[in-house]
Amino acid sequence: WVASSNNYLSLIKGNEVKNYFLRKEDNSNIQTIAAQNDSIWIGTRAGLYLFKNGNLTKIRSCNFSVTALFVDSKNRLLIGCGNGGFYQLKSGKLISLSNDEKSSKLRIRFITEDKKGNLFLGTIGQGLVIFDGKTFQYFNEENGLPSNIIYFIHLDSRGILWLTASGSGILLFDGNKFSKITKKDGLPTNEVQTILEDENGNFWCGFNNGIFR
């Protein structure tokens, strides 16, 4: 599944592409998507939508800008809010996963999970946050991060976190300390957007003008 900011949702299957145009209302540009069972969840500036069997349904309990969606190992739909907030959607209702004022203001851009069930949150302005289900641990410019704006998080086959951050190239985190790869080390740009690892252990990085390995 591929989503675009002009409200097209595309299903690519083999050599076939099927496009769905989602009605444009309330400035509802697509910002993120996540698959769960036979459904596609769509986060937009106007809230959360469910796309199933060709039909689009707005989730009325979620009427804020949705910037991150993730289905975890417990099959829970987790939601990050661009204006602050971390939620789970359960039976059509939002349940806050924040447990104090600081975590309730997290502006989450990306969510992923490790094998132990720890959640890694990439935020806009608050750096990297690790949530073990009870407590939030913060990593930001005050304790080693070169930027508090995290675009993307990838957990590799060795358990190393690869982060992309605003103007900072690629950041590596082994659980104790951060290191980084920048233009000085051969990157074509320090504005890297995404990272994925293939089955051969190669890392593919996306930036505004293309991809590199």
Side-chain angles (χ1 to χ4, degrees):
W1 288 92
V2 179
S4 63
S5 60
N6 60 355
N7 276 27
Y8 274 97
L9 187 66
S10 301
L11 172 61
I12 303 174
K13 203 170 184 179
N15 294 322
E16 297 182 1
V17 179
K18 189 171 184 179
N19 296 312
Y20 301 90
F21 179 72
L22 310 180
R23 63 182 183 272
K24 193 167 185 177
E25 58 181 24
D26 302 326
N27 197 29
S28 57
N29 300 80
I30 297 175
Q31 300 188 110
T32 181
I33 61 173
Q36 185 182 41
N37 305 325
D38 59 349
S39 303
I40 301 295
W41 295 99
I42 303 170
T44 77
R45 292 179 182 175
L48 180 67
Y49 292 80
L50 172 64
F51 184 75
K52 186 175 182 179
N53 299 326
N55 298 312
L56 186 69
T57 303
K58 183 173 175 60
I59 307 303
R60 297 299 174 185
S61 61
C62 183
N63 56 7
F64 49 73
S65 176
V66 175
T67 49
L69 292 171
F70 182 73
V71 177
D72 70 4
S73 57
K74 299 176 183 177
N75 202 35
R76 301 181 302 173
L77 179 68
L78 306 179
I79 302 168
C81 174
N83 298 323
F86 182 35
Y87 302 92
Q88 173 192 351
L89 184 71
K90 186 175 183 179
S91 301
K93 296 182 180 180
L94 289 179
I95 300 172
S96 177
L97 298 177
S98 303
N99 54 23
D100 58 21
E101 184 178 359
K102 186 176 182 179
S103 59
S104 70
K105 295 180 179 179
L106 290 174
R107 299 169 60 204
I108 301 170
R109 177 163 177 155
F110 195 86
I111 307 170
T112 192
E113 181 184 25
D114 68 12
K115 294 179 180 179
K116 296 179 180 180
N118 296 310
L119 296 171
F120 299 86
L121 315 177
T123 73
I124 304 169
Q126 295 98 343
L128 170 68
V129 181
I130 302 176
F131 180 55
D132 64 4
K134 295 181 180 180
T135 60
F136 291 87
Q137 186 177 11
Y138 298 84
F139 298 90
N140 47 48
E141 292 178 358
E142 295 180 357
N143 54 14
L145 270 184
S147 172
N148 283 336
I149 300 175
I150 305 298
Y151 296 143
F152 194 88
I153 306 172
H154 173 72
L155 186 67
D156 74 12
S157 55
R158 302 169 297 165
I160 304 296
L161 278 182
W162 293 61
L163 314 175
T164 64
S166 178
S168 302
I170 298 171
L171 309 177
L172 305 178
F173 183 57
D174 63 4
N176 296 306
K177 64 180 184 299
F178 290 96
S179 58
K180 63 181 180 179
I181 304 171
T182 66
K183 285 183 69 175
K184 294 180 180 179
D185 303 297
L187 291 184
T189 175
N190 283 332
E191 288 293 342
V192 182
Q193 303 293 322
T194 62
I195 301 175
L196 286 176
E197 181 181 10
D198 66 23
E199 59 186 9
N200 297 316
N202 297 310
F203 292 90
W204 298 85
C205 305
F207 60 104
N208 289 337
N209 296 319
I211 61 174
F212 60 90
R213 186 178 68 176

